[in-house]
Amino acid sequence: GGDGRQLHAEYAARVEQMVTEINSRHPGLVMYYKRRMPFPERTALFSSCDVLVNSSIRHGLNLMPFEFVMCSKERKAGFVVSEFLGCSRVLPGAVRTNPWRDEDMARAIHRLLLLEDHHKEYWHGLQVDFCTNNTVYSWAENLLKDMLRMRRTMLEMGE
């Protein structure tokens, strides 16, 4: 309720303050958007980024990292994702971190910025393959197969 909104407002104000501080020392380094970005604008931005940071804490199915992978084919850019995102466990080479731990987040971003090109190419290739070969339909099919297997196992166990 109200406490959550207040906490969010305080957090958003702190983030904006940090962005302002960083950009005052290094103009244009951080691009911070508080609004929902239209798809064409988002994909154009993704194709020019060095790193994507997705620090969501309550967004289980977030497709943004998948979009980022497919848009950054030329740059082979990396991404840091919250360990609370569902995709953090399935995308190969995803740098997972707890967004509440500032130092861990900073280290993850730094690590990606210093990653050697051959590592970027390797991980990006695996990510593109994953995104290309794992469509919504194949995920749904695999989920249904898993559910059927679980049902059979439960029946065999007498449950």
Side-chain angles (χ1 to χ4, degrees), residues 21-88:
E21 290 171 10
I22 292 168
N23 281 338
S24 70
R25 286 178 280 170
H26 310 282
L29 183 66
V30 177
M31 296 172 73
Y32 175 66
Y33 294 92
K34 286 179 22 176
R35 63 181 169 78
R36 185 168 187 83
M37 191 179 294
F39 186 73
E41 188 177 339
R42 189 169 64 240
T43 55
L45 179 63
F46 285 169
S47 68
S48 64
C49 289
D50 293 316
V51 173
L52 170 74
V53 177
N54 189 322
S55 58
S56 298
I57 55 169
R58 293 185 185 192
H59 199 182
L61 181 58
N62 189 313
L63 299 178
M64 195 174 292
F66 299 98
E67 293 173 357
F68 182 74
V69 165
M70 298 309 286
C71 291
S72 63
K73 285 182 178 180
E74 297 302 316
R75 297 181 65 82
K76 296 170 183 54
F79 53 93
V80 177
V81 290
S82 165
E83 64 187 12
F84 305 117
L85 289 179
C87 69
S88 73

Side-chain angles (χ1 to χ4, degrees), residues 54-140:
N54 189 322
S55 58
S56 298
I57 55 169
R58 293 185 185 192
H59 199 182
L61 181 58
N62 189 313
L63 299 178
M64 195 174 292
F66 299 98
E67 293 173 357
F68 182 74
V69 165
M70 298 309 286
C71 291
S72 63
K73 285 182 178 180
E74 297 302 316
R75 297 181 65 82
K76 296 170 183 54
F79 53 93
V80 177
V81 290
S82 165
E83 64 187 12
F84 305 117
L85 289 179
C87 69
S88 73
R89 288 169 175 74
V90 297
L91 267 172
V95 178
R96 295 173 45 199
T97 190
N98 183 332
W100 296 109
R101 301 172 104 174
D102 298 346
E103 291 296 320
D104 291 350
M105 185 65 81
R107 274 193 289 278
I109 295 167
H110 188 252
R111 182 177 133 207
L112 274 177
L113 290 171
L114 297 178
L115 195 63
E116 295 179 21
D117 287 344
H118 68 275
H119 289 297
K120 289 179 186 178
E121 289 177 21
Y122 172 77
W123 287 115
H124 194 266
L126 292 178
Q127 293 161 359
V128 169
D129 286 347
F130 182 86
C131 291
T132 304
N133 296 317
N134 291 284
T135 65
V136 171
Y137 300 110
S138 64
W139 283 4

